[in-house]
């Protein structure tokens, strides 16, 4: 079992829909990251969370430390949001390793 | 706020050539991590540095070497390039205690032809 699990693996939605991507982890963490990667593109850092909730534009990220769970929400989704969204954690249990989820591939249809 | 800077953004090399990728961490970060992400693959940890010393080594080929300099920037040197080296190479930086997580560079996309 992966230490960082994301769901769903793939998601197709219509433009304008509210999107939720989930991340669960099984290790103690000091921070959790949400990253975005467009096809053939580089890494874009969306959020770094250690508690609570953050909002940036149409993106909202939440984390529940007790439940070891984080969600990334996209409101009023747009085709340009189509990308792979990756959850990554900095583990307190493993020296100097970033643990990546396998990503969620999001496709927003116009 | 300044982010992790990687250069170049894109690089095209021929087989058997060499390449040097650079990573500049954000101020006050003393630790740099290098990752390789092949097409459709998960990121693979290559190597990390703390205070200019190698701190951990992952699946880095012997043809690759890396170092961290006195200003904490790091360079990944790749020799005898192979087609299979085509990937996104990204770095991340942190302070050693990682209390504030990592800051990610956008990566260098290397294409070997």
């Amino acid at each position: 079992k992966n230490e960082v699990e994301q769901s769903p693996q793939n998601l197709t939605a219509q433009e304008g829909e509210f999107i939720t991507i989930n991340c669960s982890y099984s290790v103690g963490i000091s921070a959790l990251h949400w990253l975005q990667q467009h096809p053939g593109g580089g890494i874009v850092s969306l959020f770094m969370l250690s508690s609570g909730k953050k909002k940036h534009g149409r993106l909202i990220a939440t984390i529940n430390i007790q439940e070891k769970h984080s969600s990334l929400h996209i409101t009023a989704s747009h085709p340009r949001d189509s990308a792979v969204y990756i959850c990554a954690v900095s583990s307190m249990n493993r020296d100097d390793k970033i643990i990546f989820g396998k990503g969620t591939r999001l496709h927003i249809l116009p | 706020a300044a982010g992790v800077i990687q250069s170049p953004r894109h690089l095209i090399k021929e087989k058997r050539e060499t390449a040097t990728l650079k990573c500049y961490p954000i101020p006050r970060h003393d630790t740099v991590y290098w990752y390789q992400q092949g097409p459709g693959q998960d990121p693979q940890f290559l190597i990390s540095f703390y205070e200019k010393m190698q701190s951990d080594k992952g699946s880095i080929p012997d043809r690759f070497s890396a170092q961290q300099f006195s200003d904490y920037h790091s360079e990944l040197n790749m020799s005898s390039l192979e087609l299979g080296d085509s990937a996104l190479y990204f770095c991340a930086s942190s302070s050693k205690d990682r209390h504030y997580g990592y800051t990610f560079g956008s990566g260098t996309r290397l294409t070997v032809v």
Side-chain angles (χ1 to χ4, degrees), chain A residues 79-95:
Chain A
R80 65 174 173 265
D81 297 326
S82 299
V84 176
Y85 291 83
I86 302 168
C87 172
V89 303
S90 55
S91 170
M92 292 191 293
N93 299 339
R94 291 174 58 183
D95 292 336

Side-chain angles (χ1 to χ4, degrees), chain A residues 22-42:
Chain A
N22 295 300
C23 175
S24 296
Y25 52 92
S26 57
V27 296
I29 68 168
S30 54
L32 181 144
H33 301 263
W34 281 104
L35 311 173
Q36 180 195 57
Q37 191 171 27
H38 283 98

Side-chain angles (χ1 to χ4, degrees), chain B residues 6 16 23 26 34 46 52 58-59 63-64 68 80 82 85 91 95 100 102 107 110 112:
Chain B
Q6 287 191 246
R16 292 179 290 276
C23 171
I26 68 171
W34 284 98
L46 293 178
K52 294 153 277 183
S59 51
R63 299 177 289 108
F64 295 4
Q68 187 180 33
S80 303
E82 302 172 357
D85 296 328
C91 68
S95 59
Y100 300 103
Y102 304 90
L110 172 68
V112 181

Side-chain angles (χ1 to χ4, degrees), chain A residues 30-31 33 35 37-45 48 50 86 88-103 105, chain B residues 9-10 31 33 35 37 40 42-43 45 48 50 55-58 88 90 92 94 96-107 109:
Chain A
S30 54
H33 301 263
L35 311 173
Q37 191 171 27
H38 283 98
I43 301 290
V44 175
S45 289
M48 183 179 70
S50 54
I86 302 168
V89 303
S90 55
S91 170
M92 292 191 293
N93 299 339
R94 291 174 58 183
D95 292 336
D96 289 343
K97 290 294 193 299
I98 306 169
I99 308 173
F100 293 90
K102 292 198 170 293
R105 188 173 299 277
Chain B
R9 294 282 299 275
H10 300 274
T31 307
Y33 312 81
Y35 284 83
Q37 187 184 29
D42 296 339
F45 171 69
S48 63
Y50 165 65
S55 57
D56 200 359
K57 192 172 182 179
L88 177 73
F90 65 91
S94 74
K96 182 59 175 174
D97 59 15
R98 293 180 286 128
H99 283 171
Y100 300 103
Y102 304 90
T103 302
F104 291 87
S106 58
R109 187 160 296 280

Side-chain angles (χ1 to χ4, degrees), chain B residues 2 7 14-15 17 20-21 36 41 47 54 56 64 69 80 91 93 105 108:
Chain B
S7 67
E14 294 188 354
K15 284 192 301 184
E17 284 193 315
T20 297
L21 311 184
Q36 175 194 57
Q41 303 295 313
I47 196 166
Q54 181 182 308
D56 200 359
F64 295 4
F69 294 85
S80 303
C91 68
S93 72
T108 294

Side-chain angles (χ1 to χ4, degrees), chain B residues 56-73:
Chain B
D56 200 359
K57 192 172 182 179
S59 51
I60 184 169
D62 292 340
R63 299 177 289 108
F64 295 4
S65 64
Q67 57 183 322
Q68 187 180 33
F69 294 85
S70 58
D71 64 351
Y72 297 109
H73 94 272

